[in-house]
Amino acid sequence: MAINSQTKNSKKSMNVAIIMDGNGRWAISNSLNISKGHKKGVEIVRKIVEESVRQNISSLTLYAFSSENWSRPKAEIEAIKKLVIDAINNQVPELIEQKVKLRFFGHVNKFGKKIVSKIEEAENATYTDEGSLNLNVALGYGGRQDFLDITKDIATRVLSNEIKIDDIDENTISQLSSVPVNDIDLLIRTGGDRRISNFLLYQIAYSEIVFIDKYWPDFTKEDFIECIDNFKKVSRRFGKRI
Ligand code: FPP
């Protein structure tokens, strides 16, 4: 079934996802405007992307804007939109140099034509068959919304006889999901809260989860390396007796 064209399972082993929480609290604790917290957050993204390439990670999936974030103040949403455009303008050349393949997912259309065409431009410019890292950015994404979209998609395909009910399996769900990666190995959440917040609900079934008390703007390359090194020591049984 040729549903999703992106290769979701890379030959390399490690898929990392990050809930980059704490930008707002970092800004407040430094007597700064909230948008300055997000700006600092983008600087950290850059460092973590560079380190992900060095660490030979296959994919890095970042939660930049959730479907629930639409209820934030308009000024903050506008600041995040501008940051996304600035980040694309400033960082795509370096991503190309590092052979990083950039992909956005979620209800991106809600951000308007300007962002949609910027995103298409960035995805095309960074497309390569020999990528170092798949950098996936969730924008207007929610795990429950993804389930809903998948359910409607399956129902439509069954009704049009494209697929049979008996042929639906876990692979069908993975392929129809908007998330460009199947299984997250390591999920990191900064900012001190211990929750998932509607991120990658299907893909984190067997993830190791690390909660970091630091706010995202204070998260360092060394913290990231520590998370990866600790992950490598974990024995993963996937429910089996080994
Ligand atoms: C969480 O902090 C962060 C966000 C909701 C936005 C993150 C967005 C960026 C870093 C910019 C875009 C990124 C890319 C990759 C282009 P919060 O505001 O929820 O923090 P708080 O919990 O302290 O309020």
Side-chain angles (χ1 to χ4, degrees):
M1 175 167 53
I3 291 171
N4 193 320
S5 59
Q6 176 159 4
T7 311
K8 290 197 177 188
N9 278 326
S10 161
K11 282 188 203 114
K12 280 193 280 174
S13 57
M14 203 171 166
N15 295 307
V16 179
I18 308 184
I19 301 174
M20 311 176 287
D21 198 21
N23 291 348
R25 282 165 288 162
W26 180 88
I28 290 164
S29 67
N30 286 284
S31 310
L32 295 167
N33 185 291
I34 300 274
S35 62
K36 290 277 188 299
H38 294 313
K39 190 160 187 253
K40 182 74 182 166
V42 175
E43 287 174 30
I44 307 304
V45 167
R46 184 178 193 155
K47 287 188 197 156
I48 299 306
V49 168
E50 284 170 2
E51 189 53 35
S52 299
V53 173
R54 269 195 291 271
Q55 295 281 334
N56 222 15
I57 283 169
S58 44
S59 75
L60 178 68
T61 304
L62 303 174
Y63 208 5
F65 195 94
S66 73
S67 39
E68 289 71 29
N69 287 153
W70 284 112
S71 56
R72 292 202 174 189
K74 202 165 176 271
E76 183 178 352
I77 295 174
E78 289 307 313
I80 292 178
K81 280 186 184 176
K82 190 175 174 315
L83 273 177
V84 171
I85 293 181
D86 289 350
I88 290 176
N89 285 339
N90 298 333
Q91 296 186 25
V92 161
E94 193 185 328
L95 296 181
I96 294 171
E97 208 173 290
Q98 295 175 323
K99 291 194 163 48
V100 173
K101 208 168 173 177
L102 180 62
R103 167 70 70 102
F104 288 83
F105 66 98
H107 286 189
V108 176
N109 283 343
K110 275 187 87 175
F111 286 83
K113 279 186 191 149
K114 196 172 164 195
I115 292 207
V116 170
S117 69
K118 259 281 155 227
I119 283 173
E120 277 173 11
E121 206 181 288
E123 288 180 338
N124 291 336
T126 57
Y127 182 83
T128 165
D129 282 333
E130 300 155 14
S132 58
L133 168 78
N134 287 323
L135 175 60
N136 306 314
V137 181
L139 208 54
Y141 168 85
R144 287 185 173 179
Q145 289 72 10
D146 199 35
F147 277 133
L148 194 59
D149 293 342
I150 295 166
T151 307
K152 287 180 181 173
D153 198 344
I154 290 178
T156 308
R157 287 169 195 264
V158 168
L159 286 175
S160 66
N161 291 322
E162 193 184 327
I163 50 175
K164 295 191 183 75
I165 288 181
D166 285 345
D167 293 339
I168 299 168
D169 58 13
E170 289 185 10
N171 202 32
T172 317
I173 296 172
S174 300
Q175 286 185 308
L176 292 178
S177 169
S178 67
V179 181
V181 59
N182 278 346
D183 289 296
I184 298 298
D185 298 300
L186 171 65
L187 173 68
I188 301 168
R189 179 180 185 136
T190 61
D193 291 325
R194 279 136 177 83
R195 53 178 173 253
I196 301 301
S197 302
N198 205 14
F199 194 39
L200 307 179
L201 300 180
Y202 193 73
Q203 294 76 12
I204 59 165
Y206 277 96
S207 302
E208 300 300 320
I209 304 182
V210 178
F211 295 106
I212 305 282
D213 287 332
K214 283 183 180 181
Y215 298 141
W216 176 248
D218 289 327
F219 189 68
T220 63
K221 185 179 87 174
E222 288 70 28
D223 294 326
F224 186 54
I225 294 171
E226 195 180 335
C227 291
I228 292 164
D229 288 347
N230 287 339
F231 168 81
K232 286 177 180 164
K233 291 180 205 150
V234 173
S235 156
R236 302 179 79 202
R237 294 180 292 281
F238 300 98
K240 294 180 195 137
R241 175 106 31 232
I242 48 173

